[in-house]
Amino acid sequence: MARFLVRLLYGSYAWLALLAVVVPFSAALLLAPRLELRRALARGAARLFFLLIGSPVRVEGKPAVGEGPCVVVANHASYLDGIVLTAALPPSFTYLIKHEMARVPIAGFVLRRLGSAFVKRDDVAHRKRVARRLVELAQRGEALAFFPEGTFAPHPGLLPFQPGAFAAAALAEVPVVPLVIQGSRRKLPSGRLLPEPGPLRVRVLDPVDPRRHRSPRELMLAVRRAILEHLDEPDLAPAEASERAA
């Protein structure tokens, strides 16, 4: 009973804190003329939100991520993950987002104003067009961020990866930087409306050079293996596990 009351009070406060941050932030996004400024505002708003709810995002590992062209990939466990990455990464990243988010009130507006790339996962032609754009962005020196699982499940574990991020990195010959998000699944898992108290951490792993791998798939498996080593969750892609062992 006590835990339920704590979750109810904390979760209600967290939603109020998010509303208090999002309303003025959305107005600022509407007025800010430059993309760089809008992204810097988003980073500040994300950090303020987590500070208000007592869960500032702690970043561990290599601090130089985002200083040059790269592709960042992270595990996906919660609706909080996008805000976590926004708080943790420099404000220079273009995010790849599932197309359904473009229709979500407020969230869709925010993501469009931040220059996010939307992809229709069930539309092959659209995925190819988005992939070509991402390769062009990477070749121009943009930093890109993906959740290669594409979605998240209510139970712990790393889902199979989609290959788009790794194909873009291989074609542009830019490093892939794996990130491990810890704490978000416990804080706000799938199917729950109210978050609960708890720390949030992002661990930045060593970059993976695509030129040292024979194909985008081999690159993908190497990055996935690195994430699994630090995630402390099971592998939910047994076919890929068997391939790695072979």
Side-chain angles (χ1 to χ4, degrees), residues 130-150:
V130 172
R132 286 194 294 270
R133 181 191 170 200
L134 294 175
V135 171
E136 292 171 0
L137 291 173
Q139 289 173 334
R140 292 208 311 258
E142 290 270 358
L144 309 175
F146 298 77
F147 292 114
E149 293 166 274

Side-chain angles (χ1 to χ4, degrees), residues 115-232:
S116 303
F118 296 96
V119 60
K120 298 177 182 177
R121 292 173 295 175
D122 55 351
D123 187 331
V124 175
H126 188 263
R127 289 207 313 266
K128 290 180 178 179
R129 288 197 300 272
V130 172
R132 286 194 294 270
R133 181 191 170 200
L134 294 175
V135 171
E136 292 171 0
L137 291 173
Q139 289 173 334
R140 292 208 311 258
E142 290 270 358
L144 309 175
F146 298 77
F147 292 114
E149 293 166 274
T151 187
F152 57 91
H155 47 276
L158 194 66
L159 295 169
F161 279 5
Q162 304 297 319
F166 309 97
L171 287 171
E173 295 187 343
V174 297
V176 178
V177 182
L179 265 60
V180 179
I181 299 174
Q182 297 173 315
S184 64
R185 189 187 301 278
R186 179 178 178 182
K187 194 168 187 66
L188 185 62
S190 175
R192 185 185 297 170
L193 292 176
L194 296 176
E196 64 180 60
L200 292 167
R201 294 188 298 274
V202 173
R203 182 166 183 82
V204 184
L205 308 182
D206 292 330
V208 180
D209 189 344
R211 294 169 296 185
R212 301 183 65 178
H213 298 276
R214 293 172 296 181
S215 68
R217 179 166 180 80
E218 186 178 288
L219 172 64
M220 179 183 74
L221 293 175
V223 171
R224 199 168 190 281
R225 181 167 59 248
I227 290 176
L228 279 166
E229 287 175 358
H230 294 84
L231 184 58
D232 196 28

